[in-house]
Amino acid sequence: MKQENIHDWFEQAKDFAKAERELEIEHWIKISFQLRRDYDNYDTLHVIDIPRQMLDRWRWLINWRLAKYTCQYPREEIKTYYHYYDKRTGLETGFNTLLSCFAATKAQVTRLKRIMEQYIIHETQNNLFFNPTTDERLQKIKSKLKQKYKNVEAMEKKVKEEVIKNKAA
């Protein structure tokens, strides 16, 4: 089993970030304070909608708001709920969500392109008899790349359908 080094992990993280930028994902968070009475019985007291990067700076406001409602309703249960989403599409963000899977498939395409380019450069410099049209490894990489492009198209279609479904609801 091949052990991955930290450089590979950083490259994957860069590819994922690049895919998110290409998709123009805007990370936002909706924080709601709810007064819970029963499982299905609750009142929403307040909702804060801020960009994700402001969450750490505004933690004091969330704590203050929670303390205020706890003092206001001392015998009731006050809960704070966090909902991470993309502002532009309205889709949920996070692990194993549709948007993160779409970004991951785009990142896989970027990674495979880079591997293919590095392989071609390496082989042209070190192999005198390298022919890109007949090389078996290169053909395998190209077939995998075609499959990855099909995966990206399928995920893009799913995302568009989900956005339309969310806007209709």
Side-chain angles (χ1 to χ4, degrees):
M1 184 164 212
K2 181 186 165 197
Q3 183 178 357
E4 294 182 16
N5 61 16
I6 196 76
H7 178 73
D8 292 340
W9 189 83
F10 278 127
E11 287 295 323
Q12 288 175 352
K14 286 179 186 177
D15 292 342
F16 189 78
K18 180 182 175 191
E20 281 190 339
R21 281 192 306 274
E22 288 174 0
L23 294 173
E24 299 174 359
I25 296 175
E26 299 176 28
H27 292 277
W28 280 65
I29 183 169
K30 192 175 285 187
I31 306 158
S32 62
F33 300 90
Q34 296 181 351
L35 177 67
R36 285 290 201 190
R37 292 193 173 87
D38 293 329
Y39 178 72
D40 285 340
N41 189 10
Y42 64 90
D43 293 327
T44 302
L45 301 172
H46 190 76
V47 177
I48 300 173
D49 195 15
I50 57 174
R52 174 66 177 92
Q53 66 266 18
M54 290 179 63
L55 179 62
D56 290 334
R57 289 183 289 179
W58 282 37
R59 186 69 64 187
W60 66 271
L61 177 69
I62 297 164
N63 292 337
W64 176 83
R65 185 80 61 182
L66 183 62
K68 175 188 172 202
Y69 290 131
T70 302
C71 291
Q72 210 170 2
Y73 305 100
R75 294 181 187 261
E76 303 290 335
E77 184 179 11
I78 307 295
K79 292 284 188 179
T80 308
Y81 294 97
Y82 296 85
H83 176 70
Y84 300 90
Y85 70 101
D86 174 35
K87 184 76 167 186
R88 191 174 55 84
T89 62
L91 296 178
E92 189 175 339
T93 59
F95 295 109
N96 290 331
T97 59
L98 184 62
L99 215 49
S100 68
C101 290
F102 185 35
T105 51
K106 283 188 73 83
Q108 288 173 358
V109 168
T110 305
R111 183 172 186 260
L112 204 52
K113 280 182 182 178
R114 187 178 56 250
I115 289 171
M116 186 172 72
E117 290 169 2
Q118 289 172 350
Y119 177 74
I120 291 172
I121 290 170
H122 180 268
E123 288 298 312
T124 53
Q125 290 175 350
N126 297 325
N127 188 352
L128 188 61
F129 302 106
F130 175 69
N131 185 356
T133 57
T134 60
D135 189 58
E136 288 182 26
R137 281 184 159 175
L138 192 58
Q139 297 307 318
K140 285 181 183 178
I141 292 173
K142 285 182 179 180
S143 67
K144 283 184 181 180
L145 189 60
K146 284 180 186 176
Q147 182 60 42
K148 297 291 182 186
Y149 275 123
K150 289 178 184 175
N151 291 347
V152 166
E153 289 174 6
M155 288 297 293
E156 186 174 12
K157 185 178 176 184
K158 283 182 185 178
V159 167
K160 285 181 182 179
E161 289 172 356
E162 192 68 27
V163 168
I164 291 170
K165 188 173 104 178
N166 281 350
K167 290 189 179 187

